[in-house]
Amino acid sequence: MRIAKNIEMLEIKGDNGVIYPILAWDEHNLVLIDAGFPGQIDLITAEIAKANRSANDITAIILTHQDIDHIGCVRELLELAPNAQVMAHIEEAPYINGEKTPIKLAALSARYDDLPDDMKIMHDKMKAGFANRRIKIDKFLQDGEILPICGDIEIIHTPGHTHGHICLLFRESGVLVGGDAVNIQEGKLIGANPNHTADLKSAEESFAKIRDLGASFVVAYHGGCYTENTTS
Ligand SMILES: [Zn+2]
């Protein structure tokens, strides 16, 4: 779905619900923000093709944070576009490149013996998923940094859901890519889901920061597009 000039919200329907990565471009760049669950590469490339672009032309993959549903297809995308630069917040990078155990996996591992069987299966899947998906980060992003591409993309550090979570503001169009720092519930924009949040207080502060930006559109990775009057 086209949400602004040269910005497309991809719609990836999978077993775990719908997710909404963002594709943006200008004359020299094709940027993907977040990269789906493992196994969704065909769905992602098909959605990119629907926007009349090709995954082979991706120049940058920006990751809002470390979770498996955001980094799942980076490896396969880099096979298609080997020169694409992978970017993430400097505090998030060690969890993505394999230096540290991703926080949700570490939390589950710590109480593995007490987990119900279905959670044990989820843990094992997650562990295998991360083991195969250590990703080298080419560029470390910081709060306030502006990438001079696609009408200027501002990096906004929004810790809470994870410590190095970022949102991205397209300054020209006013589109805010909220990742998992935002959700949509009954037509209202809300903050990170408390059940999946590392630091609730920071998440609340980050959500206040997001609201203050006054973006015209906000995209929630698990909720879609929010505007002041309508949602989809
Ligand atoms: Zn997520």
Side-chain angles (χ1 to χ4, degrees):
M1 174 186 154
R2 184 67 52 98
I3 52 173
K5 184 170 173 258
N6 296 357
I7 303 179
E8 191 88 19
M9 182 174 81
L10 308 184
E11 189 174 335
I12 310 294
K13 290 181 189 155
D15 298 339
N16 298 294
V18 186
I19 52 171
Y20 299 93
I22 293 291
L23 188 72
W25 60 92
D26 61 20
E27 207 183 327
H28 305 291
N29 300 280
L30 181 63
V31 178
L32 180 70
I33 304 173
D34 285 334
F37 283 90
Q40 293 189 320
I41 186 66
D42 291 344
L43 296 172
I44 293 172
T45 53
E47 277 289 293
I48 293 173
K50 267 202 233 164
N52 294 321
R53 308 283 128 186
S54 164
N56 298 289
D57 297 329
I58 290 175
T59 54
I61 302 168
I62 304 178
L63 302 169
T64 58
H65 64 291
Q66 61 186 275
D67 287 347
I68 196 77
D69 53 322
H70 297 254
I71 67 162
C73 291
V74 175
R75 200 185 55 190
E76 291 82 356
L77 287 162
L78 289 175
E79 283 167 15
L80 298 172
N83 295 322
Q85 297 261 301
V86 183
M87 307 181 190
H89 189 269
I90 192 161
E91 280 187 47
E92 206 69 357
Y95 299 98
I96 299 171
N97 69 17
E99 276 171 42
K100 291 185 183 175
T101 306
I103 53 174
K104 289 197 178 63
L105 178 61
L108 286 176
S109 296
R111 55 191 186 94
Y112 187 79
D113 290 343
D114 299 328
L115 293 176
D117 283 350
D118 59 333
M119 292 287 281
K120 279 192 173 128
I121 292 168
M122 195 180 95
H123 166 278
D124 295 346
K125 259 191 185 172
M126 205 190 265
K127 191 171 177 182
F130 278 119
N132 293 328
R133 284 177 175 76
R134 293 194 178 116
I135 298 152
K136 181 175 155 284
I137 302 298
D138 301 301
K139 182 171 170 56
F140 303 118
L141 303 171
Q142 304 205 42
D143 187 49
E145 182 172 357
I146 293 168
L147 304 174
I149 54 174
C150 302
D152 287 348
I153 304 174
E154 182 176 343
I155 307 303
I156 298 156
H157 184 208
T158 47
H161 180 74
T162 64
H163 303 301
H165 187 287
I166 53 169
C167 296
L168 299 107
L169 179 65
F170 285 86
R171 286 164 60 113
E172 204 171 272
S173 57
V175 169
L176 182 85
V177 181
D180 287 2
V182 295
N183 283 289
I184 298 168
Q185 196 177 61
E186 292 167 5
K188 286 205 172 71
L189 190 69
I190 58 168
N193 182 339
N195 298 329
H196 306 291
T197 290
D199 177 347
L200 205 50
K201 188 167 175 290
S202 299
E204 283 166 4
E205 287 165 8
S206 291
F207 185 58
K209 188 171 164 184
I210 290 165
R211 292 233 76 145
D212 285 348
L213 292 168
S216 58
F217 286 91
V218 181
V219 179
Y221 192 66
H222 298 280
C225 186
Y226 171 87
T227 70
E228 278 307 314
N229 302 311
T230 56
T231 59
S232 67

